[in-house]
Amino acid sequence: LFPVEMPALSATMLGQGQLVAMLPTSHALADRAELSASDLAREALISVERDSPHGRTVDDLFRAAGLAYRVLTRVRFAETAVALANEGLGIALVDEFTAMSPPTGLRALPIRHAPKFGVYLHWNREKPRSRQVSGLEAAIRTALAGRTS
């Protein structure tokens, strides 16, 4: 999802995504169409490590709203945050792509004024791009263009 700065890699931004909240369908906020930073600031949150692109996106959301927030658990991977939310341990703040197929019992909700982030394709700059990389790029662009968020 995010740019990787390595001398051997080239990258191109294919589109953008945004942060979403994944919460149990039994949660008091689950019946809403969308959430705000203010709604989330009062909740026990599960987020990816602060020094990661995901973690910085979460910080940006609350900083822009001028709100303090409480992360109950920080994890390394967005998928782990989703698993913990599925166990009822809080609301996971993850990218919309991680949330595309929520487990039974979880609902993904958009966050009003959520920060955007780039979706990147990376490849080895020291080798010619293969047909497979070009095909993957086309498939990702098509998927990004067809999503409803």
Side-chain angles (χ1 to χ4, degrees):
L1 287 178
F2 302 98
V4 175
E5 294 186 21
M6 292 181 66
L9 293 181
S10 287
T12 188
M13 191 168 97
L14 303 179
Q16 290 188 314
Q18 68 182 34
L19 198 64
V20 299
M22 293 198 71
L23 61 163
T25 55
S26 60
H27 192 283
L29 297 175
D31 62 347
R32 301 222 184 148
E34 70 177 1
L35 298 175
S36 68
S38 180
D39 296 328
L40 294 166
R42 299 183 294 265
E43 299 293 329
L45 302 175
I46 304 163
S47 179
V48 178
E49 296 170 339
R50 181 170 258 144
D51 65 345
S52 71
H54 279 94
R56 287 188 291 276
T57 303
V58 170
D59 284 345
D60 290 346
L61 170 70
F62 291 101
R63 186 179 311 110
L67 295 169
Y69 66 102
R70 177 175 61 114
V71 172
L72 182 66
T73 305
R74 289 204 184 266
V75 297
R76 185 167 183 191
F77 301 108
E79 295 81 4
T80 305
V82 171
L84 293 174
N86 200 34
E87 293 299 320
L89 298 176
I91 296 175
L93 301 179
V94 299
D95 62 89
E96 67 179 278
F97 309 106
T98 298
M100 282 181 144
S101 297
T104 301
L106 282 188
R107 181 165 185 219
L109 291 176
I111 302 169
R112 192 175 318 118
H113 306 300
K116 301 271 189 216
F117 53 83
V119 176
Y120 292 83
L121 176 69
H122 303 91
W123 67 92
N124 185 337
R125 78 172 57 222
E126 297 173 5
K127 294 183 179 182
R129 281 182 63 173
S130 67
R131 285 188 317 220
Q132 290 82 4
V133 170
S134 296
L136 176 61
E137 178 178 356
I140 292 171
R141 287 186 188 278
T142 298
L144 289 172
R147 71 185 203 278
T148 59
S149 61

